[in-house]
Amino acid sequence: MGHSMGGLVSQLLMTELNDHYLRVVITMSTPSHLNPVRFDRRAEMVYSTARKAQLGDIPSSTPLITICGGASDSQIASEVCALPERADPLRKTVVTTSLQGAWTGAGHREMVWCHQVRSIVARLALSISQADSDEKRIEEIARSGPLWFIPSRELVNITGTRLHYLHETRKLELGSPVPGLHLIPLPPQQPLHFTLFTYGLDLLALNNKTRAPSIRILYCSKPPPSSIEPACNELSGRAKRIPRQKWPGTFPADKGVQDDDHILVFEADLMVPSMSSEDHIAVWIDRYSPGYGPGWVVASVEVDNTPELSATALEWTRYTQDNVLNWAISTFAAKQ
């Protein structure tokens, strides 16, 4: 792990040591792309060697992760810090402003003590130290964009789960999460877009190693013979964590952002060849009780490719006052 020019030294080690000695190299605010002393021929030779590690042109499977501070780093700009573009899962550049769980710029010196960044780097280092860690685990922790996942097509066992059917509405609005399966009816028109926002809950697929309250998104169809419960499969989609809009006090907090202090966004596009009136999108809330703290859930199924609820990276704060997310934030989050 290296900061500033120390990160360059770490990259040089990748050309000298094999995977037996190195599990991962993490650099922070390192000028990987541009030599700051370009008049020095020896420095150019050093950068020429480090470039091989940056491009993956070495006999090594050691991951190289570079963290840049964004506009807050006045010494090392992001374009200087970033690794050369290459479609290699073992080479990753992350800017702290888009790093989920940090969401703030970090100055050149502040990079080493910013709590949000330190927490993520620590989890990343501990995870990669495990023998079974891979690039997927790296992406789960050092995530800056939506996480796409395609679950198995096996039926989900919902035996004994309480069913809550919505009638005459395709919007789920829960000021306090209610355990059970909440089934949202689907309109006959296609294509469809499903969007969910929740606070106080996390997708089971993202946080399946804890017993904390979780949420699952299912596609449920007509019950099979000899059953009164619908047949449900996990729904494919993309998930992203975003900061709360109504942050209590200054951001970031004195102790940094807690791991569970975020709004979760889940989106899925639906194009079903044959849909019946018994088909639903189901939001399965599990293991929730008021003792876990405040929480809320809002979800919507909408027709067309331009949904009323959009979770694109730059537009999520521009919602009109009458859409569901602003309603949820003003109704629930302001109280929390």
Side-chain angles (χ1 to χ4, degrees):
M1 192 178 301
H3 172 253
S4 194
M5 293 301 286
L8 190 67
V9 176
S10 301
Q11 294 173 12
L12 293 175
L13 283 175
M14 298 180 69
T15 67
E16 300 285 342
L17 303 177
N18 59 37
D19 297 348
H20 177 73
Y21 296 98
L22 289 176
R23 280 294 294 163
V24 64
V25 171
I26 303 174
T27 69
M28 296 175 286
S29 295
T30 293
S32 299
H33 196 66
L34 184 64
N35 178 8
V37 283
R38 304 190 69 180
F39 53 84
D40 190 321
R41 180 179 299 176
R42 292 169 299 178
E44 288 291 345
M45 294 174 61
V46 167
Y47 265 82
S48 177
T49 302
R51 187 76 65 195
K52 296 178 181 179
Q54 297 169 12
L55 293 172
D57 295 337
I58 55 175
S60 170
S61 60
T62 300
L64 172 59
I65 303 167
T66 290
I67 303 176
C68 307
S72 297
D73 191 340
S74 58
Q75 291 183 249
I76 306 298
S78 295
E79 57 268 25
V80 175
C81 172
L83 296 173
E85 289 190 21
R86 174 167 285 196
D88 186 342
L90 297 178
R91 298 294 182 269
K92 183 177 180 64
T93 299
V94 182
V95 181
T96 59
T97 48
S98 61
L99 184 60
Q100 294 184 32
W103 299 306
T104 185
H108 192 69
R109 293 175 299 175
E110 291 80 358
M111 176 70 75
V112 296
W113 53 255
C114 174
H115 180 83
Q116 294 97 281
V117 178
R118 283 194 307 142
S119 176
I120 294 170
V121 170
R123 288 202 304 274
L124 184 61
L126 290 172
S127 175
I128 296 177
S129 67
Q130 305 301 315
D132 59 348
S133 183
D134 55 15
E135 57 266 19
K136 181 179 179 182
R137 184 60 179 155
I138 295 173
E139 182 62 30
E140 288 178 358
I141 299 175
R143 187 163 62 249
S144 57
L147 176 66
W148 294 75
F149 57 94
I150 303 177
S152 68
R153 300 306 301 169
E154 296 180 2
L155 290 178
V156 178
N157 184 6
I158 61 171
T159 303
T161 303
R162 187 174 180 181
L163 306 181
H164 307 272
Y165 283 93
L166 274 67
H167 301 284
E168 300 180 357
T169 180
R170 297 194 298 272
K171 291 183 178 179
L172 173 66
E173 304 169 349
L174 298 176
S176 179
V178 178
L181 204 65
H182 301 263
L183 294 110
I184 307 172
L186 299 179
Q189 304 95 326
Q190 294 195 49
L192 301 176
H193 187 89
F194 173 77
T195 309
L196 174 139
F197 295 86
T198 182
Y199 176 74
L201 297 166
D202 216 346
L203 273 180
L204 182 65
L206 301 180
N207 198 17
N208 58 7
K209 294 185 178 181
T210 72
R211 293 294 299 172
S214 63
I215 196 167
R216 299 174 76 176
I217 313 300
L218 311 178
Y219 186 95
C220 298
S221 54
K222 183 179 180 179
S226 71
S227 176
I228 60 173
E229 296 170 332
C232 299
N233 299 92
E234 201 104 30
L235 185 65
S236 301
R238 53 197 180 274
K240 185 177 179 65
R241 293 172 175 141
I242 57 178
R244 280 194 286 157
Q245 193 177 46
K246 299 289 186 179
W247 198 265
T250 58
F251 179 86
D254 293 338
K255 295 291 185 178
V257 180
Q258 299 299 315
D259 293 345
D260 58 353
D261 203 352
H262 58 260
I263 292 177
L264 173 73
V265 184
F266 178 89
E267 290 185 294
D269 298 305
L270 300 171
M271 180 65 77
V272 184
S274 58
M275 186 184 298
S276 73
S277 59
E278 297 185 70
D279 288 1
H280 295 75
I281 294 291
V283 178
W284 189 0
I285 299 174
D286 189 27
R287 299 193 298 265
Y288 184 83
S289 67
Y292 280 109
W296 50 262
V297 178
V298 293
S300 175
V301 176
E302 295 159 328
V303 181
D304 202 355
N305 291 319
T306 54
E308 178 186 346
L309 297 183
S310 175
T312 53
L314 298 178
E315 294 180 354
W316 75 276
T317 57
R318 302 177 188 170
Y319 300 136
T320 56
Q321 291 299 314
D322 59 346
N323 76 29
V324 177
L325 178 60
N326 275 331
W327 173 85
I329 290 175
S330 62
T331 303
F332 304 138
K335 300 178 181 179
Q336 300 169 10

